[in-house]
Amino acid sequence: MDFTPSEEQAAAQGLAARIFGDLSTHERLTAAGTGTDAELWKELCAAGLPAAVEDVGLLGLVLILEEQGRTTAQVPLAATCVYGLLAVAAHGAAEQRERLLPGLRDGTAVATGAFPARGGVRIAEDGALYGAVPWVPWLRDATHVLVADAERDLWIVRTGDPDVTAVPVETTAPWSAGRLVLDGVRGERLGNGQPGAYADVLATARTAFAGLQAGVCAGALARAVHHTVTREQFGRPLSTNQGVLLRAADAHMDTEAIRVTAYEAAWRHDERRPCEAQALTAAWWASEAGKRVVHAGQHLHGGTGADLDHPVHRHFLWGRQLDAYLGCGGEVLEELGLLLAHSSQEGAS
């Protein structure tokens, strides 16, 4: 395994770091409230970052999302790339790729996904979709939703369809979420219904959002380090206290574990190797370790960390949202165990 970024991946990551660093400031995030930063999204699309994902692969997307996570930038980048660009490019029919990809590349179309499948959407005998999904990230911005029905078939639904209702929902993190209600909508099947498409998109999503969590944790830890180095107590910096050092060191190791497991899953995906178990591993670390890191980041700020308007609180909210999204630690660990047991039985037979 070699996780060394290619020249193109490193360039995309550097560009993302510059744009997020310049535009995703505390003042702009405060002004955006719980909505999307439309100007930042336009800047990212004008720079060609969403379009570049097709060239830099899932590992390149993970690197880009790390930079988004560091600043908790409120843009639908992960959702559009995972449920739109990569899903359509990998599983869409030729006509779908030709029709849908241009808009997803330039940002005129925004995608999200009603994932994972929990049986909330069913397909009727006449081919129409019915049901509801309690919350879908970035639904308020989306033009297209990738919906997984109870049988795990994938459908593309347009939010502008009269049989589709998106009810705004406020989640822990400001993800412009909404409740999706489908009342007899005629969805467009993604590709030809190839087996394994749902599992591939879900593994891709888990890997990408684990990369986003790595960035969120790195940003929280960087803020905690700055605070404890510059804040003095009893005549010396807080960072000289052994308890503070140990807590920060544990948070650093947890962050690196999230990062390396996400890198491995993404690398295997790009190399067209089996990666479902690795994606589940990354998701488990993102959930369990991510929760520990954002709690530590807030705790190391002392009383300041309790201020809801402090930038570190944003990392806490994102970390807790990512902890539960696509399956919390216990859920993905059970799924990983079942997957490994099934693989072992197949190997024995």
Side-chain angles (χ1 to χ4, degrees):
M1 292 181 289
D2 183 5
F3 304 149
T4 304
S6 66
E7 185 177 341
E8 292 79 8
Q9 289 169 338
Q13 183 183 23
L15 179 59
R18 180 178 62 79
I19 295 175
F20 287 129
D22 289 346
L23 295 183
S24 187
T25 62
H26 176 59
E27 293 73 22
R28 288 176 60 86
L29 288 168
T30 300
T34 61
T36 296
D37 188 334
E39 183 180 340
L40 175 56
W41 178 242
K42 289 179 182 178
E43 185 71 21
L44 290 169
C45 295
L49 275 176
V53 170
E54 291 178 88
D55 297 321
V56 299
L58 184 54
L59 180 55
L61 175 59
V62 166
L63 294 170
I64 293 170
L65 292 177
E66 271 194 79
E67 302 305 327
Q68 179 186 358
R70 290 180 197 275
T71 60
T72 60
Q74 292 171 200
V75 288
L77 181 60
T80 292
C81 291
V82 168
Y83 301 121
L85 276 163
L86 295 180
V88 173
H91 303 289
E95 186 276 331
Q96 288 176 324
R97 294 195 297 271
E98 183 179 354
R99 171 166 47 88
L100 296 174
L101 287 177
L104 292 167
R105 290 175 185 138
D106 63 20
T108 54
V110 174
T112 188
F115 272 67
R118 300 190 187 277
V121 176
R122 61 180 180 84
I123 183 167
E125 293 183 359
D126 61 357
L129 295 169
Y130 293 86
V133 181
W135 76 277
V136 178
W138 307 110
L139 182 60
R140 282 179 264 168
D141 299 324
T143 57
H144 299 77
V145 185
L146 187 63
V147 177
D149 66 22
E151 302 301 320
R152 298 191 173 183
D153 289 324
L154 301 182
W155 304 86
I156 301 170
V157 171
R158 296 180 180 274
T159 55
D161 192 292
D163 297 317
V164 177
T165 303
V167 182
V169 172
E170 294 301 334
T171 53
T172 302
W175 284 8
S176 296
R179 182 172 185 266
L180 179 68
V181 181
L182 306 176
D183 188 19
V185 64
R186 296 284 177 173
E188 176 185 355
R189 186 185 291 272
L190 180 65
N192 299 314
Q194 306 98 316
Y198 169 81
D200 178 66
V201 173
L202 182 56
T204 300
R206 281 172 165 158
T207 302
F209 280 95
L212 184 60
Q213 180 75 302
V216 169
C217 291
L221 185 56
R223 291 188 182 279
V225 169
H226 179 267
H227 176 79
T228 56
V229 168
T230 57
R231 177 84 169 183
E232 290 190 359
Q233 190 177 60
F234 305 116
R236 63 177 185 171
L238 288 172
S239 59
T240 59
N241 294 315
Q242 188 178 40
V244 171
L245 290 170
L246 292 174
R247 191 80 188 275
D250 286 342
H252 171 73
M253 294 304 296
D254 273 339
T255 301
E256 289 302 299
I258 300 169
R259 177 181 289 117
V260 74
T261 51
Y263 284 5
E264 181 186 6
W267 177 83
R268 291 182 66 90
H269 179 276
D270 291 343
E271 293 293 317
R272 302 187 182 279
R273 301 189 184 192
C275 63
E276 189 175 357
Q278 287 73 21
L280 283 165
T281 302
W284 183 84
W285 276 103
S287 176
E288 293 293 308
K291 181 167 49 183
R292 289 195 296 266
V293 173
V294 296
H295 273 264
Q298 195 164 19
H299 187 207
L300 289 172
H301 278 76
T304 306
D307 183 358
L308 301 185
D309 295 324
H310 193 280
V312 77
H313 188 67
R314 225 175 261 116
H315 291 270
F316 175 79
L317 295 177
W318 277 68
R320 290 312 307 257
Q321 188 73 56
L322 286 163
D323 159 35
Y325 184 51
L326 299 178
C328 64
E331 289 178 301
V332 296
L333 189 61
E334 179 183 16
E335 192 175 337
L336 177 59
L338 293 172
L339 175 65
L340 295 177
H342 180 70
S343 301
S344 178
Q345 291 173 356
E346 285 188 340
S349 62

